[in-house]
Amino acid sequence: MNAPLHLWLIPLLPLAAFFLNGILGGRLPKWLVSAIGVLAPLASFALVVNAARGLIGVAPGPSLPYVETSPFAWINVGALHVDFSFVLDQLSMVMLLVVTGVGFLIHVYSVGYMHEDEGYARYFSFLNLFLFFMTTLVLAGNILLMFVGWEGVGLASYLLIGFWYRKPSAADAGKKAFIVNRIGDFGFLIGIFLLLGAFGTFTFSEIAARLAASPAWQGDILTVICLCLLTGAAGKSAQLPLYVWLPDAMEGPTPVSALIHAATMVTAGVYMIARTHFLFDRSPFALGTVAIVGAATAFFAATMGLVQNDIKRVLAYSTISQLGYMFLACGVAAYSAAIFHLMTHAFFKALLFLAAGSVIHAVGGEQDMRKMGGLWRAMPITFWTMTAAVLAISGIFPFAGFFSKDAILYAAFLQGSFGKTLWAVGFVTALLTAIYMFRLWYMTFFGAPRGEAHPHHATPASMLGPMVVLGLLSLCGGWIGIERFSNYLAPATGAHRVPSITGHLELYLSLAAIAIALEGWLIADKYYRRKPGRPAQLAAAMVGAYKLLFNKYYVDELYGAVFVRPLLAIAKYLLGWVVDTAIVGGAAWLLGGIATFSGAFLQGWQSGNLRSYAAWLAFGAAAALLFALLAGSPHAWGLTFFHAEPIYKLSHIAVAYFGQARR
Amino acid sequence: MSLHQDVPLAWYLLLSAALFSLGVTGFLIKRNLITVFMSIEVMLNGVNLSFVAFAHQWHAVKGQIFVFFVMMVAAAEAAVGLAIIIAVFRARATLAVDRIDLMKL
């Protein structure tokens, strides 16, 4: 017996706030804009908590999955029925709690961060629009509705990356994000169509039931579908080879980077794979591809993060790297571990961005870490919350990141030799993660203040509050443990396939992970605190490697040379000159020319002389009569379209009479 | 009945055609607007004649009724047309159709 939960209100409240702030925002006082912008996510969060009440316990809720279908059918064509159906199960509930909870905190933070901005109302309306689409994506009960949310968050992301649209680099970054995502979405869309072709339905539960009914079905079309879906996921979640948009997305306001480009939207790809895990489970090849993509992304992004100097770019590469971990987990079918890491990552990565934003705010907009330093005394709360987040992302016990990363590495380790390779990559990445995170920590907060950057803005309470909450979550978020977490998720993501603990293997792996994280800390400590001159020496010693990393493996340049410039050339020369100017323009010119010339020719007849008109009229009438007389039956000429019967009769009478007269 | 026997249909038609041709010729060659207008009336009456002749020939009353319509329209046309002619004369002080030629580009 289900009481109605009114799931539709969860996305609709932010949508209402979007319209209110988007249309009226410019005329409303600032406090009202903030109230609308913050209360909508809070109300959504309250609804989610209400829905989760009693189901949040460790045991799976008795009434899940809870399905709510709108009374309005969306598409009803032939055999295809698509509804606006919302599904609340363990998976979407965890995701919703993260999205609306972290989302609400970041809205609160934004009140302080964006207070001076002239686009304040526009900012909040876009942020609420994002929440609308994100909750739609999460709640969607069929893949088509999920795609709507998927595209919508892409739109919100584009709008917010290019929020400061007067800055060309921000506008370009927005376009880059949108276009790169389009490539992934193209694959996603193909996957959706193939799914419809293979199953005849878009609804997740029906597809799962269809698959459960044919247990032997493996590979073939399922592999193709999964690879298409993976393309979409790689675009949205910034995986190789489509990750290039995320570092540039840092042009947006920092809370946007925290919410969209760290905590929620970029994890949509992971969520989508977990949501469609019944497909991936049937295709070992696709799963292996997911794992390889994830591991490679985790490693390469981490290496690029080592040498960045922009504080937000370091965090962007670390986000890509952590998303790689989640893909790795999905690839070894440890979906619950992926979602677990998604959750803890949302906490600590959002916090890292918010703390970075607090630092940037304090030093007057400076983002270059080389011009920071020695800030820890000036901003203790930011320092301590950031420390919690750094410890969490580095995987140091007992912070949240330790538990989730450990779960992923353990799950990978148990998958034979392929899994052990993945584990090794993940292990090395963990070392790199610790190095670049502590590098950031040292460069920002320790040493002597460098450059002219010095704190001159106190961070307001509206920014510190969310940071403290997220700091606590970064500390405690992992304590639930992967065992209980995956048991809870099991109805939605399939049973956790990790065999029961054999001996002390898991303990050893955990100790190794902590050791490697501490090792990373020590290396960062050595290079960035005790011997601050060493990094420059090292860079000078290995100038080739350093340049390669600093220029991000020249991937942007490679894409520019291979894809962007040829496409631009095709657009300019083939499409612009040949197709547009020559063919389309020529055709338009030809049509216009025909009309002009024939008009000039016919103009001569329009003399304005009444008698000439009359003469032509008489001539025409005479010609018609002559035609009718000589041609005989008009039907023989196929002239049935005009009613020539009277003329026809008249002609017969005339012929008969004159014929008679002649005789 | 006697008409039907004495005068064949063709004669009526020939008269009708002659009247119509007269009208057309007058319309084309005359310069005065009033004469042109009268030529139209001649054409209409030529047509009317063929209508009544056919109606009589085939005992179809439709043709006769049609003639009434034509006469009615001709009367209305005469009223409006003469009014226009007067207006044109007041404005242009001439009724020569060759000089009333503003209906062009």
Side-chain angles (χ1 to χ4, degrees):
Chain A
M1 196 45 206
N2 280 320
L5 294 175
H6 298 298
L7 295 179
W8 54 275
L9 274 176
I10 296 170
L12 239 56
L13 284 171
L15 183 69
F18 158 69
F19 280 120
L20 264 179
N21 271 341
I23 295 169
L24 300 173
R27 271 163 244 158
L28 297 178
K30 215 165 220 184
W31 65 267
L32 193 57
V33 172
S34 325
I36 293 169
V38 171
L39 284 179
L42 180 63
S44 287
F45 183 57
L47 280 168
V48 175
V49 171
N50 177 48
R53 211 171 30 142
L55 313 170
I56 195 89
V58 173
S63 57
L64 290 180
Y66 173 85
V67 180
E68 198 170 84
T69 302
S70 108
F72 311 104
W74 178 18
I75 296 173
N76 209 344
V77 183
L80 177 65
H81 304 283
V82 187
D83 287 323
F84 290 105
S85 61
F86 289 148
V87 170
L88 188 71
D89 61 358
Q90 287 84 356
L91 180 61
S92 59
M93 196 162 77
V94 169
M95 192 76 184
L96 271 183
L97 283 170
V98 170
V99 168
T100 56
V102 175
F104 164 66
L105 290 174
I106 291 173
H107 277 71
V108 173
Y109 178 94
S110 301
V111 172
Y113 191 84
M114 300 298 288
H115 204 261
E116 309 297 322
D117 201 280
E118 54 184 287
Y120 190 70
R122 183 165 60 95
Y123 174 82
F124 271 98
S125 68
F126 287 169
L127 219 53
N128 283 320
L129 180 70
F130 167 75
L131 268 190
F132 161 67
F133 281 123
M134 190 70 202
T135 45
T136 306
L137 188 162
V138 173
L139 277 170
N142 58 63
I143 200 160
L144 208 58
L145 190 57
M146 181 188 235
F147 188 69
V148 170
W150 186 274
E151 292 297 308
V153 292
L155 167 71
S157 161
Y158 163 78
L159 290 172
L160 284 163
I161 294 170
F163 181 74
W164 289 310
Y165 54 88
R166 288 201 182 86
K167 209 163 90 183
S169 60
D172 287 347
K175 280 185 278 183
K176 184 174 179 181
F178 201 75
I179 291 169
V180 174
N181 265 299
R182 297 248 57 72
I183 299 169
D185 294 348
F186 178 68
F188 191 9
L189 204 55
I190 299 287
I192 291 176
F193 291 150
L194 289 175
L195 208 58
L196 181 66
F199 294 91
T201 175
F202 289 126
T203 312
F204 293 123
S205 55
E206 287 175 19
I207 296 171
R210 213 66 67 84
L211 277 172
S214 49
W217 192 5
Q218 278 228 339
D220 59 294
I221 186 73
L222 296 179
T223 301
V224 181
I225 292 173
C226 288
L227 290 178
C228 286
L229 296 182
L230 171 63
T231 315
K236 189 62 80 195
S237 292
Q239 297 295 294
L240 283 174
L242 298 175
Y243 69 94
V244 287
W245 64 271
L246 189 56
D248 287 8
M250 297 301 127
E251 291 285 344
T254 306
V256 170
S257 310
L259 177 60
I260 300 184
H261 306 118
T264 54
M265 185 194 84
V266 288
T267 60
V270 181
Y271 176 75
M272 188 256 274
I273 292 179
R275 177 54 84 200
T276 56
H277 71 92
F278 37 81
L279 289 168
F280 284 87
D281 281 343
R282 295 297 177 87
S283 171
F285 179 76
L287 269 185
T289 314
V290 173
I292 291 169
V293 166
T297 308
F299 179 74
F300 282 110
T303 57
M304 288 184 269
L306 283 174
V307 294
Q308 300 299 315
N309 289 320
D310 183 320
I311 187 168
K312 285 181 72 181
R313 279 187 179 258
V314 175
L315 294 178
Y317 282 108
S318 107
T319 303
I320 299 173
S321 174
Q322 297 300 309
L323 289 166
Y325 271 115
M326 296 175 211
F327 269 61
L328 198 163
C330 287
V332 295
Y335 306 107
S336 51
I339 298 297
F340 192 32
H341 196 54
L342 189 161
M343 181 179 83
T344 59
H345 175 258
F347 299 149
F348 60 68
K349 185 52 64 64
L351 175 54
L352 282 169
F353 270 111
L354 296 189
S358 169
V359 169
I360 295 166
H361 189 259
V363 298
E366 182 57 60
Q367 298 195 4
D368 192 334
M369 292 191 296
R370 286 170 299 188
K371 296 181 182 168
M372 297 174 183
L375 290 171
W376 76 276
R377 266 182 215 287
M379 33 199 338
I381 297 179
T382 302
F383 170 69
W384 284 112
T385 52
M386 182 94 148
T387 306
V390 168
L391 292 170
I393 192 174
S394 304
I396 288 170
F397 186 82
F399 289 86
F402 163 76
F403 297 95
S404 53
K405 198 182 286 187
D406 197 45
I408 291 175
L409 292 178
Y410 180 58
F413 193 80
L414 296 175
Q415 300 286 318
S417 57
F418 175 60
K420 289 200 173 52
T421 317
L422 295 174
W423 174 85
V425 175
F427 193 69
V428 175
T429 305
L431 172 71
L432 298 175
T433 308
I435 295 175
Y436 67 68
M437 284 320 299
F438 280 104
R439 169 176 175 267
L440 180 149
W441 192 61
Y442 281 120
M443 285 179 81
T444 309
F445 292 110
F446 292 94
R450 294 178 293 272
E452 65 272 37
H454 50 85
H456 48 68
H457 277 240
T459 309
S462 59
M463 288 165 68
L464 292 177
M467 284 160 61
V468 172
V469 176
L470 284 171
L472 291 175
L473 286 171
S474 299
L475 176 61
C476 317
W479 291 357
I480 182 172
I482 182 65
E483 284 293 318
R484 277 182 288 178
F485 192 78
S486 62
N487 280 340
Y488 180 69
L489 277 187
T493 60
H496 195 47
R497 303 236 198 90
V498 178
S500 56
I501 296 157
T502 48
H504 294 296
L505 179 61
E506 189 179 19
L507 184 63
Y508 293 147
L509 286 177
S510 301
L511 288 175
I514 297 174
I516 201 84
L518 290 174
E519 172 68 18
W521 186 355
L522 284 178
I523 292 173
D525 181 63
K526 183 176 163 193
Y527 276 74
Y528 293 95
R529 190 173 69 87
R530 281 181 286 151
K531 296 176 179 170
R534 282 292 289 277
Q537 289 169 15
L538 197 65
M542 302 194 297
V543 72
Y546 177 76
K547 272 200 156 169
L548 187 66
L549 287 183
F550 189 74
N551 290 304
K552 299 159 277 184
Y553 296 101
Y554 298 99
V555 170
D556 277 331
E557 285 76 6
L558 180 74
Y559 284 180
V562 176
F563 299 111
V564 179
R565 250 174 280 148
L567 277 177
L568 285 178
I570 289 173
K572 186 174 178 188
Y573 298 112
L574 180 66
L575 297 181
W577 289 7
V578 177
V579 175
D580 191 47
T581 307
I583 298 178
V584 178
W589 181 85
L590 195 68
L591 284 177
I594 288 172
T596 307
F597 282 119
S598 53
F601 173 66
L602 291 172
Q603 203 179 14
W605 282 1
Q606 198 179 354
S607 59
N609 188 322
L610 184 63
R611 290 195 295 178
S612 106
Y613 293 164
W616 282 113
L617 199 66
F619 176 75
L625 193 64
L626 203 66
F627 174 76
L629 287 174
L630 297 183
S633 163
H635 299 289
W637 290 70
L639 296 175
T640 49
F641 56 86
F642 73 94
H643 202 71
E645 209 60 27
I647 300 175
Y648 175 60
K649 271 184 185 158
L650 184 69
S651 70
H652 268 251
I653 291 161
V655 167
Y657 175 74
F658 286 117
Q660 198 178 29
R662 244 179 274 137
R663 249 187 284 147
Chain B
M1 265 330 215
S2 64
L3 180 139
H4 176 58
Q5 283 165 347
D6 293 343
V7 186
L9 174 67
W11 291 30
Y12 290 101
L13 291 183
L14 281 175
L15 179 60
S16 159
L19 277 174
F20 188 81
S21 304
L22 262 175
V24 170
T25 314
F27 191 97
L28 291 179
I29 64 170
K30 280 305 190 179
R31 197 167 289 169
N32 189 301
L33 198 52
I34 292 177
T35 322
V36 168
F37 193 71
M38 284 159 66
S39 304
I40 295 175
E41 298 297 321
V42 173
M43 279 192 270
L44 285 173
N45 283 314
V47 172
N48 278 351
L49 185 60
S50 74
F51 266 127
V52 281
F54 277 124
H56 187 80
Q57 173 79 10
W58 280 307
H59 304 291
V61 82
K62 271 191 247 172
Q64 317 233 13
I65 291 173
F66 218 95
V67 169
F68 280 112
F69 275 101
V70 172
M71 284 162 71
M72 217 165 62
V73 170
E77 184 208 335
V80 176
L82 285 171
I84 291 173
I85 287 172
I86 290 168
V88 167
F89 185 74
R90 281 187 181 158
R92 315 276 319 249
T94 177
L95 284 180
V97 283
D98 295 340
R99 302 179 62 187
I100 308 171
D101 59 353
L102 287 179
M103 278 171 54
K104 63 177 181 187
L105 282 171

